[in-house]
Amino acid sequence: MERKKIKCVVWDLDNTLWSGVLSEGDDVKLRDNIKDIFKTLDKRGILMSVASKNNFDDAYKKLEEMGIADYFLYPQINWNPKSEGVKKISEELNLGLDSFAFVDDSPFEREEVLSANENILTIDAADIDKIPDMDCMIPRFITEDTVNRRMMYIADSKRKRDEQEFSGDNTEFLKRLNMRLTISPVTEHDLRRAYELTVRTHQLNSTGYTYSYEELEGFLTSDKHIFRIAQLTDKYGDYGKIGLILVENTDALRIKLLLMSCRVMSRGVGSAILIYLAKLAKKLNKPLFAEFRTTDRNRIMYITYKIMGFDELEDNDGDVLLQYTSEEEREYPDYLEVIES
């Protein structure tokens, strides 16, 4: 099977990013051309982290001295198995391990990581210079969200820390975020990001459909479809374009695709979008249906549909059709300002 595009590269340190072994007192030197590789991957929206057996304070200080520490999200520098470190990084980023690559000079360490998840791409440190030219490292498009991805995750890390330290309930914390959700028609300018969302988003994807760029472009002028993109901001900054909505508009409204970035999983965005669609259906005086295709990762989307008043009409071997049957007049949560444009 063709490998999925890589979303995160996890690096070893000793004899990989740098020559020598730090804990043995070596005067380690940064690998030639590695900064250029970092810049290339960063511009492509590929996140990076570290899984290394070292003393954290010593290793991180060395990364700072080399001017590369800021590239690494949730670095795992300790004496635990590296497979545990890679798994921890994937949990913090909320990204599937099948979109990870792990780079290490040691065949043993690469095998140890691979044995814990056979879908991880392992790369010999001897092949580092080949990484930028690997097909799985080259996105079809580079968008504004792509270029800013690392900074968005850094802002999200700050949100998480503040949320963990907050002593009140979750709703009170959400109110303090000053979140603004904008739902607007997809424009030609948005198409590359819309395509990127369909190929990158699996966990919060109601059907798992992957449309080609050309198919998405066709929906811009279709009088039988409602095509919307959602953007979220809060006091910490911009989450970017984080959601996509495609609705077939005939004698009824039929949600063909509803997806959101995993970074907004706990922000109530899915419920807000469904309220938006329920209001739209009421305005147009049309019933509202939703297609749902069961995958091994999107059950939370099904639960969201059920909570928001959708009932299951049929289930054809995992292809589910739901209908919005709630009589309740639902309003957007008071912690979220929704702008319809």
Side-chain angles (χ1 to χ4, degrees):
M1 294 179 62
E2 182 181 356
R3 173 168 289 279
K4 291 173 55 175
K5 297 296 184 182
I6 295 300
K7 297 180 182 179
C8 181
V9 177
V10 180
W11 302 87
D12 171 44
L13 295 179
D14 294 327
N15 291 318
T16 299
L17 279 192
W18 56 52
S19 61
V21 179
L22 185 66
S23 63
E24 294 179 1
D26 292 346
D27 182 19
V28 298
K29 301 293 185 183
L30 195 61
R31 189 184 186 100
D32 291 342
N33 199 38
I34 197 68
K35 286 189 177 181
D36 290 336
I37 292 174
F38 286 172
K39 291 176 183 178
T40 296
L41 298 182
D42 191 53
K43 288 179 180 178
R44 294 176 182 175
I46 297 174
L47 306 175
M48 287 176 281
S49 191
V50 167
S52 172
K53 291 181 178 177
N54 261 298
N55 175 272
F56 181 90
D57 291 339
D58 293 340
Y60 198 78
K61 180 180 180 182
K62 183 60 66 174
L63 292 171
E64 289 180 319
E65 291 173 359
M66 293 175 168
I68 57 175
D70 289 345
Y71 281 109
F72 304 122
L73 305 175
Y74 305 107
Q76 301 299 303
I77 304 173
N78 49 52
W79 301 101
N80 298 328
K82 294 183 182 179
S83 60
E84 294 182 7
V86 174
K87 182 180 179 182
K88 176 67 173 176
I89 295 164
S90 76
E91 291 171 349
E92 293 286 359
L93 296 175
N94 202 11
L95 296 175
L97 285 167
D98 56 351
S99 64
F100 271 60
F102 173 68
V103 188
D104 200 300
D105 66 298
S106 166
F108 171 82
E109 298 291 1
R110 296 197 302 272
E111 184 61 32
E112 192 274 328
V113 168
L114 192 62
S115 68
N117 192 307
E118 62 182 8
N119 293 318
I120 292 177
L121 173 64
T122 57
I123 301 172
D124 190 333
D127 295 325
I128 281 178
D129 289 341
K130 300 177 182 178
I131 288 176
D133 296 322
M134 294 180 176
D135 183 67
C136 60
M137 301 284 181
I138 305 175
R140 180 174 177 182
F141 299 118
I142 294 178
T143 68
E144 183 179 351
D145 284 58
T146 302
V147 174
N148 294 328
R149 182 162 292 125
R150 174 168 58 94
M151 300 311 297
M152 291 178 183
Y153 272 87
I154 289 174
D156 198 50
S157 176
K158 172 63 174 172
R159 291 184 188 97
K160 288 180 180 178
R161 287 198 302 270
D162 287 355
E163 186 171 8
Q164 290 170 354
E165 295 170 1
F166 186 71
S167 58
D169 62 29
N170 184 250
T171 300
E172 185 61 32
F173 176 76
L174 293 176
K175 288 180 180 179
R176 298 187 178 204
L177 291 180
N178 301 324
M179 288 189 293
R180 174 179 292 184
L181 176 68
T182 303
I183 302 174
S184 56
V186 177
T187 66
E188 190 169 350
H189 177 75
D190 297 319
L191 275 179
R192 291 187 173 187
R193 175 55 179 162
Y195 174 79
E196 185 181 44
L197 280 167
T198 66
V199 299
R200 288 180 61 90
T201 308
H202 305 283
Q203 188 170 357
L204 299 183
N205 187 325
S206 62
T207 58
Y209 295 157
T210 300
Y211 293 93
S212 69
Y213 181 86
E214 292 71 24
E215 287 174 315
L216 294 174
E217 189 175 34
F219 295 134
L220 292 182
T221 56
S222 172
D223 58 2
K224 294 184 178 179
H225 291 87
I226 297 168
F227 196 21
R228 300 288 185 266
I229 196 162
Q231 182 169 1
L232 185 67
T233 63
D234 68 11
K235 69 178 185 178
Y236 294 95
D238 193 349
Y239 290 80
K241 303 288 179 65
I242 47 77
L244 198 64
I245 309 159
L246 178 64
V247 179
E248 186 178 78
N249 181 18
T250 55
D251 56 337
L253 298 186
R254 190 179 181 105
I255 305 171
K256 303 289 289 184
L257 180 68
L258 173 60
L259 61 82
M260 288 158 289
S261 167
C262 60
R263 291 182 291 114
V264 300
M265 180 181 291
S266 61
R267 299 297 180 247
V269 172
S271 299
I273 289 176
L274 290 178
I275 292 172
Y276 163 79
L277 292 173
K279 288 178 176 292
L280 181 61
K282 183 177 181 180
K283 178 180 178 180
L284 297 176
N285 195 29
K286 294 182 178 182
L288 177 61
F289 297 91
E291 294 180 9
F292 180 86
R293 175 179 289 180
T294 304
T295 71
D296 59 350
R297 299 178 63 184
N298 70 349
R299 178 164 174 75
I300 189 171
M301 292 294 287
Y302 180 82
I303 294 172
T304 301
Y305 273 123
K306 296 292 288 183
I307 290 174
M308 295 306 297
F310 284 77
D311 288 332
E312 187 173 311
L313 296 182
E314 57 184 67
D315 184 345
N316 184 17
D317 195 26
D319 287 330
V320 179
L321 180 65
L322 303 114
Q323 181 176 8
Y324 183 70
T325 59
S326 175
E327 298 293 333
E328 183 180 346
E329 188 70 26
R330 296 182 183 270
E331 298 297 335
Y332 297 121
D334 59 5
Y335 59 77
L336 182 65
E337 179 184 1
V338 179
I339 301 171
E340 304 172 17
S341 62

